[in-house]
Amino acid sequence: QGLPAFASVGDVLNAYEGDDAIFVLYPKKIAAAARTFLNGFPGTVLYAVKANPHPAVIKTLWTSGIRNFDVASTREVDLVRSIAPHAKLFLMHPVKSRATIRQAYEAGVRDFSFDSADELQKMLEETGYAPDLTFHLRLALPKGNAAMPLSGKFGADRAAAIELLKAARPHVAHLGVTFHVGSQCLDIEDYGRALSWVRSIVDDADVEIDSVDCGGGFPVAYPGMSHKPMGNYFAAIRTALRENGFDGLQILGEPGRALCAQGGSTLTRVELRKGADLYINDGSYGSLFDAAQCAWKFPVKLHRATPRIAEANEPFRFFG
């Protein structure tokens, strides 16, 4: 995949002579996460490219069987096309420039998300009212229990969603709805509540839909943020789909973090120690954003280029 390969972190440290943090990928862990979703999720799996757009991650997922990718920009469209030219791309960002819509359509994208009348009109105009479009209406959800709620960022509220479904249906070959329960969702029942919300809106709109996209939010196990097995999430979604009459539709899911988070590490160097404070060569504006801004604890392990006799553990603070 164009990256140097090492047998251990110690080998990496002994070989590296640079001054930056080192980003490490574990392809086997990424492939294992892909298998978990491909074998268990009750529908089509899209990788949310924004979670980690490194070419090696895209290639690993493609060779592991992921054939669909959620892209958010023309840059991501071009990236995936350069690595996996036969992948199916879904432009699921509900707010896009006209140029992005036009260029994505020219690159073969036919699935687009929207959450407003203005966005719907832009997509129709910039694709020339093409007959082969699939539009996915992004719904706003009542606030759930995710560690990072996204309910205030995107999505049409109930009244607007009903009108948008009616407005879009005559113009597209396929119409779907999509939602996002929030990043790092630790409450499995949030997916069931979201699907019930979708059912009530579709019923009130009295519009036939072709697909339901359950979005992302699938968690990974950070210290202090344990979650139930991923199979439990899949089972809960499958049950909620059946109970709400969606099991005959195309079902989509957009895991990002859950496919790539455990497949990478950041090796930072301690530049200085002041008592219990460690100053490292990465930080909140680098790969440690969630740790700093969201106060999420990442698993931490000490590595030395030259091993020493183990010392007693003691707490430290980190500064980037």
Side-chain angles (χ1 to χ4, degrees):
Q1 298 179 5
L3 296 177
F6 296 88
S8 68
V9 170
D11 289 346
V12 175
L13 297 176
N14 288 326
Y16 185 62
E17 297 179 353
D19 199 44
D20 294 321
I22 305 170
F23 304 113
V24 181
L25 292 177
Y26 308 106
K28 291 182 180 179
K29 291 185 179 181
I30 296 173
R35 287 194 298 272
T36 295
F37 274 84
L38 290 171
N39 293 334
F41 180 76
T44 300
V45 180
L46 287 58
Y47 173 57
V49 174
K50 59 184 173 290
N52 188 332
H54 195 284
V57 174
I58 305 299
K59 185 174 182 179
T60 298
L61 289 170
W62 174 261
T63 57
S64 300
I66 299 294
R67 294 292 179 263
N68 304 275
F69 294 81
D70 163 27
V71 292
S73 64
T74 53
R75 181 176 297 173
E76 291 186 1
V77 170
D78 293 342
L79 169 67
V80 179
R81 280 278 179 260
S82 69
I83 299 167
H86 300 298
K88 184 174 182 179
L89 306 185
F90 295 71
L91 187 52
M92 301 304 278
H93 193 318
V95 180
K96 305 167 288 296
S97 71
R98 286 181 175 271
T100 294
I101 297 167
R102 186 169 58 252
Q103 293 170 26
Y105 184 79
E106 291 171 354
V109 178
R110 296 296 181 266
D111 287 74
F112 298 86
S113 174
F114 70 108
D115 66 1
S116 69
D118 287 342
E119 190 72 12
L120 173 60
Q121 190 62 32
K122 280 194 303 183
M123 295 190 305
L124 291 171
E125 291 176 356
E126 295 305 322
T127 58
Y129 288 80
D132 57 349
L133 298 170
T134 298
F135 285 174
H136 306 262
L137 175 63
R138 174 74 174 263
L139 302 181
L141 299 178
K143 188 177 183 302
N145 299 304
M148 187 184 293
L150 300 175
S151 56
K153 184 178 182 182
F154 294 127
D157 63 24
R158 183 185 188 86
I162 291 171
E163 295 307 313
L164 288 168
L165 286 173
K166 294 177 179 179
R169 180 71 271 185
H171 298 290
V172 293
H174 300 96
L175 179 64
V177 294
T178 180
F179 60 83
H180 201 299
V181 297
S183 187
Q184 191 68 2
C185 178
L186 302 177
D187 186 351
I188 290 178
E189 298 306 317
D190 275 354
Y191 289 93
R193 286 187 283 267
L195 287 164
S196 295
W197 182 250
V198 172
R199 178 77 269 170
S200 67
I201 290 175
V202 171
D203 286 347
D204 285 354
D206 194 23
V207 168
E208 182 178 347
I209 64 170
D210 303 290
S211 65
V212 175
D213 181 349
C214 299
F218 301 99
V220 297
Y222 296 124
M225 298 177 69
S226 60
H227 62 83
K228 293 181 179 178
M230 200 57 62
N232 292 32
Y233 282 77
F234 300 153
I237 291 172
R238 187 178 291 105
T239 297
L241 289 168
R242 183 179 63 253
E243 290 176 346
N244 288 286
F246 292 137
D247 49 350
L249 304 183
Q250 181 187 29
I251 306 302
L252 308 172
E254 304 172 21
R257 183 189 305 272
L259 289 182
C260 67
Q262 292 178 308
S265 294
T266 301
L267 298 181
T268 65
R269 185 178 59 249
V270 176
E271 307 278 23
L272 180 68
R273 173 179 174 177
K274 292 182 179 179
D277 295 338
L278 301 182
Y279 292 79
I280 58 179
N281 63 340
D282 197 2
S284 59
Y285 297 106
S287 65
L288 303 180
F289 179 88
D290 284 350
Q293 302 301 325
C294 305
W296 293 2
K297 293 182 179 179
F298 290 170
V300 178
K301 185 175 181 179
L302 174 65
H303 293 277
R304 298 185 188 275
T306 304
R308 301 182 188 177
I309 297 176
E311 301 173 359
N313 290 333
E314 55 183 294
F316 285 95
R317 296 190 303 174
F318 292 95
F319 294 90

